[in-house]
Amino acid sequence: MDCLDPVRKALLDDLDEGFAELYGVHRDVVFSTALRLSGRWADAEDLAAETFLRAYRAVAGYDAERIAALQTRPWLLTILMNIWRNCARAKSRKPPPDLREEPMEVVDPREGVEDAALRKETGDELAGLLAQLPEEQRLAVVLRHVADLPVVEVATVLKIPQGTVKSHVSRGLKRLRTLGGVR
Amino acid sequence: MNDDPLLARLAGLAVEAPAGLLDRIAARWIAVPSPIGELSVAWTARGVAYVHEGDGFTGAFRSRFGRPLMPATRPPAGLVPALRTGRLSGLALDLEELGDFQRDVLRAVQAIPRGEVRPYAWIAARAGRPGAVRAVGTALARNPVPLLVPCHRVTRSDGALGEYVFGPAAKQRLLLAEGVDLGRLDGLARERVFYLASDTTGVVCFPTCHNARRITPAHRHGFRTLGAARTAGYRPCRTCRPDLQAA
């Protein structure tokens, strides 16, 4: 078991200590993905919290062999993706919200005035453009270039072939350049 | 590292998880002293969720709440005094996981003053289901926060102490520690006395009501049922409300 990373080693040792390790290593990637999928800070908090809770409940039922084989990052992001898709499906059954009354808002409550100004110049605009991409392209671009996953992991998370991941990403990037006027 | 400005800007959309996120996922726990020995206590961002006695704390918490548990370095403010006195004084409880009836039962239990006891039927009536005495027993047996919600103050109408989450011996210790005269209660029960009335005030009470404890022997009258006391001309005490239960 020497080849195991610290997260899996800790999970095998003690579920709660292992979870602390899992959370410490993956919290930023899970939260960032949740934020760029949902587009809202509060939704991202709900989504990320639910992801970690479900992960904990799932791993509580896994045997040692399964934990030892766990690829923790794509596994967590797969859980997140399932929750996100179920939410989106549940929302689509309700009457559609009036988008003009619900502006996309990505505000970190901790950020100061200068940070907010900086975000307006860079993040906000690009995040808005991301929201205009078709879902499959947006998921692929967020996982590949915001969460910084290798293509093989994106393919695992989205359950599509690596070639398809590459084409979603390149079409998504092309569209972002057109939309944003970025070369 | 990234020559492509778009890729660099996308990478810049990654953020740090907010500091408070973990508290929405995991509960904290600590071992604290109490009148019946050391207890393990777990709490969430909403309040204290679980009080456990003895071994098997983490396993019991996990199967009941399905939430990660992390050690804390200090208890929430007010926890230790609340365990000692059974008075919360602002300490928040997290009873989210409970059903409506169980929450109503626990709220009714919180109305029993320190040093007094009430029968299960009284709790059932206050929880809005006068007939559900057995269900009250079940709800109290699953009280996630004993001592903080003082279910040790609920006893059987025949004078026996009844069951307790942490066992009958702990119930006895807790009641003695808060000054309930169990010997006297037992003596009354042997004489089939479950209500005490005063012929100076014309009021009938549960024996542990602070009004009943003030009655001098010369003016004290014992009754087996509330009906008998009423027939004799006594009205139910407005403090301990013995009328609040199915006859």
Side-chain angles (χ1 to χ4, degrees):
Chain A
M1 301 259 186
D2 288 342
C3 55
L4 285 182
D5 62 278
V7 173
R8 280 180 287 175
K9 214 179 252 172
L11 278 171
L12 281 170
D13 239 32
D14 177 283
L15 184 56
D16 290 302
E17 280 170 34
F19 178 83
E21 193 78 23
L22 181 81
Y23 179 81
V25 170
H26 296 304
R27 62 186 167 186
D28 292 343
V29 74
V30 167
F31 185 74
S32 295
T33 307
L35 182 64
R36 299 313 170 189
L37 285 184
S38 69
R40 286 188 183 80
W41 194 270
D43 288 351
E45 285 188 336
D46 288 347
L47 200 51
E50 186 64 22
T51 299
F52 278 110
L53 256 186
R54 286 202 199 174
Y56 178 83
R57 287 170 188 168
V59 83
Y62 290 176
D63 57 21
E65 205 178 328
R66 185 149 183 205
I67 292 174
L70 208 55
Q71 299 296 318
T72 50
R73 184 169 64 177
W75 172 69
L76 276 172
L77 291 169
T78 303
I79 295 173
L80 184 140
M81 214 55 71
N82 289 341
I83 301 170
W84 167 248
R85 283 179 172 144
N86 286 338
C87 281
R89 217 171 293 149
K91 271 185 194 145
S92 73
R93 274 189 239 110
K94 292 180 200 153
D98 188 339
L99 289 175
R100 284 163 306 176
E101 283 179 22
E102 273 190 68
M104 290 289 240
E105 220 194 327
V106 190
V107 179
D108 178 346
R110 294 166 307 181
E111 82 178 351
V113 179
E114 280 175 40
D115 291 340
L118 189 69
R119 174 174 56 79
K120 283 261 181 281
E121 283 165 22
T122 55
D124 225 18
E125 183 203 346
L126 185 56
L129 295 181
L130 263 180
Q132 294 179 40
L133 293 184
E135 178 90 353
E136 55 193 16
Q137 291 175 20
R138 187 157 55 104
L139 296 181
V141 169
V142 166
L143 289 171
R144 178 69 189 89
H145 290 296
V146 180
D148 198 26
L149 262 55
V151 171
V152 55
E153 274 189 37
V154 180
T156 308
V157 172
L158 296 180
K159 299 187 180 76
I160 52 177
Q162 293 189 44
T164 315
V165 171
K166 285 181 193 158
S167 82
H168 284 333
V169 169
S170 80
R171 277 189 212 143
L173 291 179
K174 194 173 165 196
R175 188 153 179 149
L176 283 177
R177 289 183 213 278
T178 317
L179 288 169
V182 186
R183 185 194 47 81
Chain B
M1 213 171 81
N2 251 322
D3 294 337
D4 184 335
L6 177 59
L7 296 190
R9 285 173 62 197
L10 281 168
L13 288 182
V15 293
E16 279 180 22
L21 184 61
L22 185 57
D23 287 327
R24 298 188 41 181
I25 303 163
R28 308 275 173 179
W29 82 276
I30 200 164
V32 287
S34 86
I36 50 167
E38 192 176 81
L39 298 174
S40 304
V41 178
W43 64 96
T44 69
R46 285 188 292 263
V48 176
Y50 192 50
V51 174
H52 183 93
E53 193 244 346
D55 297 334
F57 165 64
T58 47
F61 180 87
R62 190 176 300 156
S63 67
R64 195 156 170 167
F65 295 89
R67 210 172 257 287
L69 197 53
M70 302 194 170
T73 49
R74 68 181 68 152
L79 174 64
V80 175
L83 287 170
R84 198 175 54 234
T85 61
R87 271 188 287 266
L88 294 179
S89 314
L91 180 75
L93 300 179
D94 177 1
L95 304 177
E96 287 277 306
E97 317 264 334
L98 305 182
D100 291 343
F101 176 66
Q102 194 177 12
R103 215 169 314 150
D104 291 344
V105 165
L106 297 187
R107 211 165 283 145
V109 170
Q110 286 177 301
I112 311 175
R114 181 177 163 82
E116 301 186 18
V117 297
R118 298 285 182 273
Y120 288 90
W122 186 86
I123 297 293
R126 278 192 81 116
R129 281 177 55 189
V133 179
R134 193 179 291 267
V136 166
T138 309
L140 294 184
R142 291 205 32 95
N143 177 8
V145 284
L147 274 74
L148 299 177
V149 170
C151 58
H152 58 276
R153 295 178 194 152
V154 185
T155 56
R156 284 171 42 162
S157 52
D158 65 2
L161 290 189
E163 295 296 320
Y164 185 53
V165 215
F166 297 157
K171 190 173 197 171
Q172 190 176 18
R173 276 178 71 186
L174 283 168
L175 290 174
L176 287 172
E178 54 184 58
V180 180
D181 189 342
L182 292 179
R184 173 174 159 269
L185 271 187
D186 193 51
L188 290 171
R190 279 173 207 279
E191 294 166 33
R192 314 296 293 150
V193 169
F194 303 110
Y195 302 92
L196 290 178
S198 158
D199 59 24
T200 46
T201 59
V203 168
V204 58
C205 297
F206 285 120
T208 55
C209 175
H210 67 95
N211 290 330
R213 283 181 282 168
R214 285 201 309 237
I215 310 170
T216 53
H219 297 284
R220 187 167 54 210
H221 303 274
F223 291 95
R224 182 174 180 175
T225 65
L226 187 64
R230 277 183 151 146
T231 309
Y234 295 97
R235 72 157 174 84
C237 172
R238 291 198 184 99
T239 307
C240 66
R241 299 297 305 272
D243 52 325
L244 260 187
Q245 59 185 327

